[in-house]
């Protein structure tokens, strides 16, 4: 069998994150780190195997349908890589080992690594970070061949002065790599089996290893929430640049939060302080005004959203529709040109084209047990402060009077009034006067 395999190590607890959640489940641009890394690996490898811990069901679910193997005792990165061996029996192709907490590597860099391996016995990714901190250092001979990697904890002063750092990705033919992994020892400062020692093992056999350099931006490790925040900032900057190059105006880019999958069309204008949670598509010519929050929704051409609008999952705002301030939409389909401009909650609802939803309209979609649907026909006019008690249907061109509590269907073209009658009591308003 000759396949290209990526083994991603993600069994560590990530103690420096101080979190109940596995480190690689922490999100960057709305997506867990591990899924960023898998997305980069998929085009460059034929299969992906993820090494996880024994108590990480959410991680296993997040990486599906890719294979997982469990490392019960966390005895180091080299030990973790060995856990994948049973799935690789008889494999003759190349295997790369990656760390789940280095999630920003690009497919192009992984392809450079795989290509470099063809000309040598072992290829690894390395970087020259501004601050080499506690990364493992790459020790090279005079000709630039890599002799070994020394962990920061085990390095002497001269070794710590080396600027070339190990990014934690090695690639070799599996028959070689599995032999080097099997020979690892844990006689070091941390009493762990270091994956990085396979480099020294290759050198000891007289085999050749080369370092493929890539920018720190791609290869940085994330061990703390401070590093997570700075990775987030970098990814956000790249996403904003891509959105602007794609023809969207971000009036104050630094204040806009995007997700890895946000799609903004041409001539979309995004005002300050807008958050795009995952799963948002915005078509051409849409205005997203300040302080709006959008998640798993589609906004069709020419619509106007906000300021202060909240679009929740399952929402679709039709062509040229308007959604104004303090309007919350959940699983709401607004037809073309429909308007809901002020202080409204529309949940589990279909609104026909051109309908007008008055200020303060509320769909009462939840009875405490079940959710129910509301249908509003094309051209309907929902008076201000209407409560629509679902399940209920308001017909096309129908009108509801302001302040109505609508509990029964309203036929097409009808006017529904459902409110207490006003009674005026002469003189009673002037308290204290006789
Ligand atoms: C590691 C490298 C270091 C490199 C740095 C790059 C080793 C020994 N050191 O250090 O040279 O500069 O990454 O970021 O490899 N893991 C397991 N099982 C284990 C231990 C770790 O699956 O028993 C996983 C972790 O979940 C993590 C990855 O391996 O995703 C790396 O482990 P981590 O402890 O973060 O290693 P570093 O100290 O960062
Ligand atoms: Mg790390």
């Amino acid at each position: 069998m000759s396949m290209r395999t990526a083994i991603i190590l993600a069994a560590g607890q990530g103690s420096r994150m101080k979190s109940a959640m596995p480190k690689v489940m922490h999100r960057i641009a709305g997506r867990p780190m591990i899924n960023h890394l898998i997305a980069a690996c998929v085009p460059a490898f034929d299969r992906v195997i993820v090494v996880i811990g024994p108590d990480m069901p959410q991680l296993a679910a997040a990486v599906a349908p890719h294979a997982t193997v469990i490392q019960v005792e966390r005895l180091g990165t080299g030990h973790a890589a060995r856990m994948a061996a049973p799935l690789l029996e008889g494999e003759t192709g190349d295997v790369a080992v990656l760390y789940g907490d280095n999630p920003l590597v690009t497919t192009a860099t992984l392809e450079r690594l795989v290509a470099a391996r063809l000309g040598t016995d072992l290829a690894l990714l390395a970087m020259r970070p501004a601050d080499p901190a506690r990364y493992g250092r790459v020790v090279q001979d005079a000709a630039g061949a890599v002799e070994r990697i020394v962990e920061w904890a085990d390095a002497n002063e001269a070794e710590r002065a080396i600027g070339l750092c190990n990014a934690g990705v090695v690639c070799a033919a599996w028959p070689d790599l599995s032999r080097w992994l099997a020979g690892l020892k844990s006689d070091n400062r941390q009493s762990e089996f270091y994956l990085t020692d396979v480099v020294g093992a290759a050198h000891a056999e007289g085999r050749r290893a080369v370092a493929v350099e890539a920018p720190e931006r791609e290869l940085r490790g994330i061990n703390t929430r401070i590093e997570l925040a700075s990775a987030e900032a970098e990814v956000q900057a790249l996403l904003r640049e891509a959105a602007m190059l794609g023809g969207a105006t971000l009036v104050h880019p630094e204040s806009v939060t995007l997700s890895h999958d946000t799609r903004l069309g041409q001539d979309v204008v995004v005002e300050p302080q807008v958050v795009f949670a995952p799963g948002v598509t915005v078509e051409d010519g849409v205005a997203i005004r300040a302080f709006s929050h959008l998640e798993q929704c589609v906004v069709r051409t020419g619509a106007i959203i906000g300021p202060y609008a909240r679009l929740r999952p399952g929402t679709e705002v039709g062509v040229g529709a308007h959604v104004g301030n303090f309007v919350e939409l959940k699983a709401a389909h607004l037809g073309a040109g429909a308007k809901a401009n002020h202080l409204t909650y529309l949940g589990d609802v279909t609104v026909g084209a051109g309908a007008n939803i008055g200020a303060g309209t509320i769909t009462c979609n939840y009875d405490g047990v079940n959710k129910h649907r509301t249908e509003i026909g094309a051209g309907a006019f929902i008076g201000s402060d209407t409560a629509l008690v679902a399940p209920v249907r308001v017909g096309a061109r129908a009108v509801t009077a302001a302040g109505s509590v609508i509990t029964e269907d309203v036929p097409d073209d009808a006017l529904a009034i459902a409110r207490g009658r006003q009674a005026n009591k002469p003189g009673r308003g002037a308290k204290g006067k006789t």
Side-chain angles (χ1 to χ4, degrees):
M1 201 170 31
S2 182
M3 283 211 267
R4 249 188 224 157
T5 305
I7 302 173
I8 299 176
L9 307 186
Q13 281 140 329
S15 53
R16 283 169 280 179
M17 293 297 276
K18 303 223 165 49
S19 175
M21 187 162 77
K23 172 160 66 176
V24 297
M25 288 301 289
H26 285 263
R27 289 166 187 270
I28 297 174
R31 175 163 69 169
M33 289 186 212
I34 188 74
N35 296 101
H36 281 273
L37 187 53
I38 289 174
C41 285
V42 162
F45 297 93
D46 302 310
R47 82 180 143 181
V48 175
I49 301 170
V50 185
V51 183
I52 67 171
D55 40 14
M56 299 179 174
Q58 18 153 207
L59 178 52
V63 310
H66 299 285
T68 51
V69 291
I70 293 179
Q71 182 195 24
V72 178
E73 278 184 295
R74 288 159 221 191
L75 302 180
T77 48
H79 178 259
R82 281 204 304 236
M83 297 298 113
L87 298 190
L88 291 165
E89 251 169 71
E91 179 61 66
T92 57
D94 278 0
V95 172
V97 184
L98 302 94
Y99 297 159
D101 66 344
N102 290 49
L104 301 181
V105 65
T106 59
T107 300
T109 294
L110 293 174
E111 278 167 351
R112 279 203 293 136
L113 174 81
V114 166
R117 211 307 286 165
L118 297 177
T120 188
D121 296 309
L122 184 151
L124 61 98
L125 290 183
M127 60 181 162
R128 295 183 187 276
D131 173 13
R134 294 178 175 232
Y135 287 113
R137 302 299 205 266
V138 179
V139 181
Q140 290 166 293
D141 68 16
V146 178
E147 288 181 354
R148 63 196 163 90
I149 293 169
V150 56
E151 284 306 292
W152 185 86
D154 301 289
N156 61 33
E157 220 164 294
E159 289 163 339
R160 286 182 184 177
I162 295 172
L164 189 63
C165 292
N166 172 39
V169 184
V170 296
C171 182
W174 180 243
D176 291 332
L177 187 59
S178 60
R179 184 175 65 256
W180 298 328
L181 286 172
L184 292 179
K185 296 199 173 65
S186 59
D187 53 349
N188 50 53
R189 275 280 172 83
Q190 306 182 80
S191 301
E192 287 185 0
F193 296 95
Y194 293 163
L195 172 66
T196 45
D197 284 347
V198 300
V199 180
H203 185 73
E205 283 184 6
R207 312 290 288 274
R208 199 180 141 77
V210 299
V212 174
E213 289 190 43
E216 179 186 9
R217 167 168 49 79
E218 287 187 36
L219 300 183
R220 59 194 303 161
I222 296 172
N223 298 296
T224 65
R225 295 195 197 235
I226 295 171
E227 288 165 352
L228 180 68
S230 79
E232 176 76 40
E234 257 175 42
V235 170
Q236 286 295 335
L238 292 174
L239 290 170
R240 290 179 197 125
E241 268 177 38
M244 291 187 278
L245 291 171
T249 294
L250 308 186
V251 176
H252 179 44
E254 293 72 26
S255 76
V256 174
T257 302
L258 297 163
S259 282
H260 66 101
D261 61 352
T262 306
R263 285 160 59 188
L264 302 182
Q266 279 186 27
D267 294 313
V268 167
V269 176
V270 182
E271 290 185 358
Q273 306 295 348
V274 173
V275 175
F276 294 93
V280 177
T281 298
V282 178
E283 293 183 353
D284 295 349
V286 167
I288 313 270
R289 304 189 59 195
F291 296 100
S292 294
H293 190 285
L294 296 84
E295 179 175 11
Q296 285 177 46
C297 62
V298 180
V299 182
R300 301 269 176 228
T301 307
I304 301 174
I305 306 297
Y308 297 97
R310 177 157 185 219
L311 272 48
R312 292 175 51 204
T315 289
E316 181 176 333
V317 176
V319 174
H322 293 188
V323 176
N325 38 251
F326 307 107
V327 172
E328 174 180 350
L329 305 185
K330 194 271 296 189
H333 283 226
L334 259 57
K339 290 183 184 159
N341 270 330
H342 327 272
L343 297 158
T344 285
Y345 171 63
L346 297 174
D348 303 305
V349 58
T350 309
V351 176
N356 193 315
I357 311 295
T361 297
I362 303 288
T363 51
C364 310
N365 60 330
Y366 186 46
D367 59 15
V369 182
N370 294 308
K371 300 276 169 67
H372 302 282
R373 293 201 61 80
T374 300
E375 264 181 62
I376 297 170
F381 184 96
I382 307 299
S384 294
D385 204 22
T386 296
L388 297 154
V389 182
V392 73
R393 181 180 177 279
V394 177
R397 300 169 304 279
V399 174
T400 66
S404 289
V405 177
I406 302 295
T407 55
E408 290 165 28
D409 289 357
V410 182
D412 290 354
D413 301 299
L415 165 67
I417 307 180
R419 64 188 180 207
R421 270 191 171 276
Q422 180 171 335
N424 290 341
K425 312 280 180 176
R428 291 264 295 272
K431 263 194 183 160
K433 286 184 190 165
T434 48

